[in-house]
Amino acid sequence: MLIHTFQFNHFYQNTYIITDPETQQSAVIDPGCFFDSEKQKLESYISDNNYTLNSILYTHCHLDHVFGAAFVYKTYPNIPIYGHKEEKAFIDNAIAQSIRYGISMEQPPGITNYVTEGSTIQIGNMTLYAIHVPGHSKGSLCYYYPTDNVLFSGDALFAGSIGRSDLPGGNHETLIENISTKLLALPGETIVYPGHGEPTTIQAEKESNPFLQN
Ligand SMILES: [Zn+2]
Ligand SMILES: [Zn+2]
C-alpha cells in the first residue's frame, strides 16, 4: 500500500490517499480539503501519478473529516462512499454545524455503502477490514490493512492520546474499552495513521499512551 498524507483545514486534519501499487487504484480516507489550494493539491496528486480514485472512506463524519467530500465526489462522480450508519446525523447536520463555526462549506455527500465491524473494502488488490471503535463518535471506524500492518485510526487513537468524548455520541469509557479490546489486540508493529498528528505504532501506544495504562 502506498500512503500519502495531507494535512488540511483549520483543524490540522490528516487526509490520506492510499493506493494499490499493482493497479494504481486509490481511495481517499477522510477528505478534509477545505481551501481551494488544498483541493487542487489532492486532485494534482491523483492526476500527476495517474492514479484512479475509486472510493471515499469516512472514519467518521465530524466536519474536519468531510470538508472536501463534496469536491471529491464532484471530481470523481458516483464512487462508493464507505462509512458507519451511526454517522448519518453528522452528514445531515453538516451545514448547520458549519454555520455555528462560522465556516461555509458544501453539503457533503452521504454514505452510499454502510460499513460495520468486520466489513471488508476492496481497493484494487488490497482488502481493508473495518473495525468499529465507538466512543469519539458512535460510528467511528478504523480501517485495518493486515498485509502491511497498517491501521487508519481516525480520531479514536492518536500518538500519546485518544479522541475527545465530549461531543454528541461520545463516551470516554466506551472509547477506552474499544481501543483496549480491539486496537491494542493488533500486532505491536502495526503502524497507526491517526486523524490528527504523527503516525505511531500499537506497541508504542500500549507502552506509553497515558490513557491506556492500567
Ligand atoms: Zn472527530
Ligand atoms: Zn478530527
Side-chain angles (χ1 to χ4, degrees), residues 60 62 64-65 136 155 167 196:
H60 67 301
H62 285 155
D64 50 326
H65 296 254
H136 173 65
D155 286 0
L167 297 169
H196 303 264

PDB file of all heavy atoms in Angstrom, residues 60 62 64-65 136 155 167 196, ligand 1:
ATOM      1  N   HIS A  60     -15.150   8.739  10.329  1.00  0.00           N
ATOM      2  CA  HIS A  60     -16.329   9.288  10.997  1.00  0.00           C
ATOM      3  C   HIS A  60     -16.610  10.606  10.295  1.00  0.00           C
ATOM      4  O   HIS A  60     -15.855  11.018   9.415  1.00  0.00           O
ATOM      5  CB  HIS A  60     -16.104   9.457  12.504  1.00  0.00           C
ATOM      6  CG  HIS A  60     -15.088  10.480  12.885  1.00  0.00           C
ATOM      7  ND1 HIS A  60     -13.777  10.415  12.459  1.00  0.00           N
ATOM      8  CD2 HIS A  60     -15.178  11.605  13.651  1.00  0.00           C
ATOM      9  CE1 HIS A  60     -13.110  11.446  12.951  1.00  0.00           C
ATOM     10  NE2 HIS A  60     -13.934  12.191  13.673  1.00  0.00           N
ATOM     11  N   HIS A  62     -17.262  13.943  11.506  1.00  0.00           N
ATOM     12  CA  HIS A  62     -17.082  15.297  12.030  1.00  0.00           C
ATOM     13  C   HIS A  62     -16.638  16.203  10.880  1.00  0.00           C
ATOM     14  O   HIS A  62     -15.981  15.746   9.937  1.00  0.00           O
ATOM     15  CB  HIS A  62     -16.036  15.306  13.151  1.00  0.00           C
ATOM     16  CG  HIS A  62     -16.558  14.739  14.449  1.00  0.00           C
ATOM     17  ND1 HIS A  62     -15.739  14.192  15.397  1.00  0.00           N
ATOM     18  CD2 HIS A  62     -17.821  14.653  14.930  1.00  0.00           C
ATOM     19  CE1 HIS A  62     -16.488  13.785  16.430  1.00  0.00           C
ATOM     20  NE2 HIS A  62     -17.752  14.051  16.163  1.00  0.00           N
ATOM     21  N   ASP A  64     -14.357  18.337  10.193  1.00  0.00           N
ATOM     22  CA  ASP A  64     -12.981  18.434   9.696  1.00  0.00           C
ATOM     23  C   ASP A  64     -12.588  17.236   8.830  1.00  0.00           C
ATOM     24  O   ASP A  64     -11.601  17.287   8.106  1.00  0.00           O
ATOM     25  CB  ASP A  64     -11.975  18.622  10.847  1.00  0.00           C
ATOM     26  CG  ASP A  64     -12.137  17.631  11.981  1.00  0.00           C
ATOM     27  OD1 ASP A  64     -13.286  17.225  12.271  1.00  0.00           O
ATOM     28  OD2 ASP A  64     -11.116  17.267  12.593  1.00  0.00           O
ATOM     29  N   HIS A  65     -13.383  16.168   8.867  1.00  0.00           N
ATOM     30  CA  HIS A  65     -13.072  14.967   8.090  1.00  0.00           C
ATOM     31  C   HIS A  65     -13.887  14.875   6.802  1.00  0.00           C
ATOM     32  O   HIS A  65     -13.656  13.978   5.991  1.00  0.00           O
ATOM     33  CB  HIS A  65     -13.272  13.720   8.954  1.00  0.00           C
ATOM     34  CG  HIS A  65     -12.325  13.678  10.117  1.00  0.00           C
ATOM     35  ND1 HIS A  65     -11.235  12.833  10.166  1.00  0.00           N
ATOM     36  CD2 HIS A  65     -12.259  14.449  11.239  1.00  0.00           C
ATOM     37  CE1 HIS A  65     -10.565  13.063  11.281  1.00  0.00           C
ATOM     38  NE2 HIS A  65     -11.159  14.041  11.962  1.00  0.00           N
ATOM     39  N   HIS A 136     -15.478   8.130  20.441  1.00  0.00           N
ATOM     40  CA  HIS A 136     -15.267   9.500  19.964  1.00  0.00           C
ATOM     41  C   HIS A 136     -16.557   9.958  19.285  1.00  0.00           C
ATOM     42  O   HIS A 136     -17.021  11.071  19.492  1.00  0.00           O
ATOM     43  CB  HIS A 136     -14.075   9.544  19.018  1.00  0.00           C
ATOM     44  CG  HIS A 136     -13.879  10.878  18.349  1.00  0.00           C
ATOM     45  ND1 HIS A 136     -13.552  12.019  19.041  1.00  0.00           N
ATOM     46  CD2 HIS A 136     -13.984  11.250  17.050  1.00  0.00           C
ATOM     47  CE1 HIS A 136     -13.463  13.038  18.200  1.00  0.00           C
ATOM     48  NE2 HIS A 136     -13.731  12.598  16.985  1.00  0.00           N
ATOM     49  N   ASP A 155     -10.210   9.490  14.626  1.00  0.00           N
ATOM     50  CA  ASP A 155      -9.974  10.243  15.862  1.00  0.00           C
ATOM     51  C   ASP A 155     -10.149   9.370  17.102  1.00  0.00           C
ATOM     52  O   ASP A 155     -10.361   9.880  18.204  1.00  0.00           O
ATOM     53  CB  ASP A 155     -10.940  11.445  15.954  1.00  0.00           C
ATOM     54  CG  ASP A 155     -10.550  12.565  15.002  1.00  0.00           C
ATOM     55  OD1 ASP A 155      -9.544  12.426  14.284  1.00  0.00           O
ATOM     56  OD2 ASP A 155     -11.280  13.579  14.964  1.00  0.00           O
ATOM     57  N   LEU A 167     -18.226  15.304  22.621  1.00  0.00           N
ATOM     58  CA  LEU A 167     -19.096  15.721  21.522  1.00  0.00           C
ATOM     59  C   LEU A 167     -20.291  14.759  21.460  1.00  0.00           C
ATOM     60  O   LEU A 167     -20.262  13.696  22.079  1.00  0.00           O
ATOM     61  CB  LEU A 167     -18.299  15.694  20.206  1.00  0.00           C
ATOM     62  CG  LEU A 167     -17.124  16.684  20.164  1.00  0.00           C
ATOM     63  CD1 LEU A 167     -16.220  16.414  18.970  1.00  0.00           C
ATOM     64  CD2 LEU A 167     -17.638  18.125  20.132  1.00  0.00           C
ATOM     65  N   HIS A 196      -5.306  13.035  13.261  1.00  0.00           N
ATOM     66  CA  HIS A 196      -4.534  14.253  13.548  1.00  0.00           C
ATOM     67  C   HIS A 196      -3.183  13.821  14.095  1.00  0.00           C
ATOM     68  O   HIS A 196      -3.093  12.841  14.831  1.00  0.00           O
ATOM     69  CB  HIS A 196      -5.233  15.134  14.598  1.00  0.00           C
ATOM     70  CG  HIS A 196      -6.625  15.542  14.211  1.00  0.00           C
ATOM     71  ND1 HIS A 196      -6.917  16.752  13.616  1.00  0.00           N
ATOM     72  CD2 HIS A 196      -7.811  14.886  14.316  1.00  0.00           C
ATOM     73  CE1 HIS A 196      -8.218  16.819  13.383  1.00  0.00           C
ATOM     74  NE2 HIS A 196      -8.794  15.699  13.802  1.00  0.00           N
TER      75      HIS A 196
HETATM   76 ZN    ZN B   1     -13.629  13.721  15.173  1.00  0.00          ZN
END
